[in-house]
Each structure stands twice: as structure tokens, then as C-alpha cells.
Amino acid sequence: MKRILNTLSLKWPEYLLEVIVIVVGILGAYALNNWNEERKEHQLEINLLSELRLNLNTNIANLNSDIELQVRSAEALDFLLDYLKNRKTYQDTIGYLLARASFAPDVVLSSSAYETLKSVGLGIISSDTLRQEIINLFEITYPYLLQETKRLEDQMWPSVVLPMYQKHLECSDVCVPNDYQKLLDDRQFTNMLSFRLQMRKGSTDHKLDVANRTEQVVRMLDQELN
């Protein structure tokens, strides 16, 4: 028995060394695995934010295009109101302006990258401030713009604008009055144009604000990605 104990006591440091090596190996493998997972998650965050930035730049381009069209529509409405109220002689230009004044661009906003982010988990965005700004943009700012645009156009166009256009105009590429004198005498028509002008200006201001907010988030994304 004494001989066995002596043998074990001599070999004990070797056993201890082996245990230490094994433990260190396990801890090292665990740390390496964690590092790999963090690296993968960080790369996924970069990929998703880069895709989101592309979506937002598309949205900015769409909003700016809408704004440009609406500014031209408002200019046409301004000109028409002055022309009709002063009962000026009909010219072919009026037909083109009446067609332009009737145009209302749809709001097209891309959100595919945000939906992907939500499915992965918004917590993957490491910056709390950036995460909140993105959520506000897609959950509050964009829905409100879409809702207001749809509400105004869906109510205004079929109930007010379309009946007035059908009553007085024959429209294709241009809108030619059936009877220009009757058009001049119809106060409801000019009132409709005036109201539509105010809608255009309000909608343009709203889209400008949304475009600016989108650009602000893009700048934050640029800073985060860089």
C-alpha cells in the first residue's frame, strides 16, 4: 500500500498538468467559439444595415421624384387659378396644365430590409440610438405619410375631383374643356382647384420632412458602418 501511495504522489503533478491543459483547452475553445459567433453576428449586422441603407436611398430618390412632380403640379394649379379667375381667353396650354394638375403620384417606399431586420431581431443593431431612429422611421413616419396620402387622395379624387373633371373636361394626354365658358362660370371647379392646390402644398411639405428624416437616418448608418 505504501508503495502505491508513493507512486501516486510522484505522478500527481503530471495528472495536475494534464488537467490544467485540458481545462485551458476547453476554455480556449469556448472563447474562440464566442469570438466566432460575435464576429458572425457583427458581419450580419453590417450586411443588414448596408441593405437598409440601399432601401433608404431608394426611398429618398422616390420621395424627391414625387416632390418634383408635385411642385410642378402646384405651379400648374397656381397658373390655372389665376387664368380662370381672370377669365382669360382659352389657349391650348390650358389643356396640358389641367392634365398636369390632376396628377397625384403614389407614395412608394421600400421596407424589405427593415422586415428582414425585424425577422432577425432588431436587437442585432448595436447602437441604441440608431435602432430607435430606424424603428421610428418605419413604424411611425412612413406609415403616417402613407395613411395621410391614401386618405386624402382616396376621399378627394372620387368624390370631388373626378366629378368636376368629368363634368367639364375630356381628358387623354390633355384635358380639353367641353365648354370653356361654362367652365369659367362654375365656381365649384375653381374651388376644387384651389383646395387641390392646398393639398399639393401640404403633401409636398410632408414629403420634404420625411425625406429629410430619411436622410438623417442614412447619415447615422454611414457613421455606424464606417
Side-chain angles (χ1 to χ4, degrees), residues 89-107:
T89 305
Y90 179 76
Q91 297 180 5
D92 291 341
T93 306
I94 300 302
Y96 291 100
L97 294 177
L98 285 166
R100 178 179 291 179
S102 70
F103 179 73
D106 293 327
V107 181

Side-chain angles (χ1 to χ4, degrees), residues 73-83 193 197-198 201:
S73 178
E75 290 171 348
L77 285 163
D78 253 333
F79 183 89
L80 284 169
L81 283 167
D82 177 73
Y83 202 92
L193 291 181
L197 174 59
Q198 298 309 311
K201 290 180 177 178

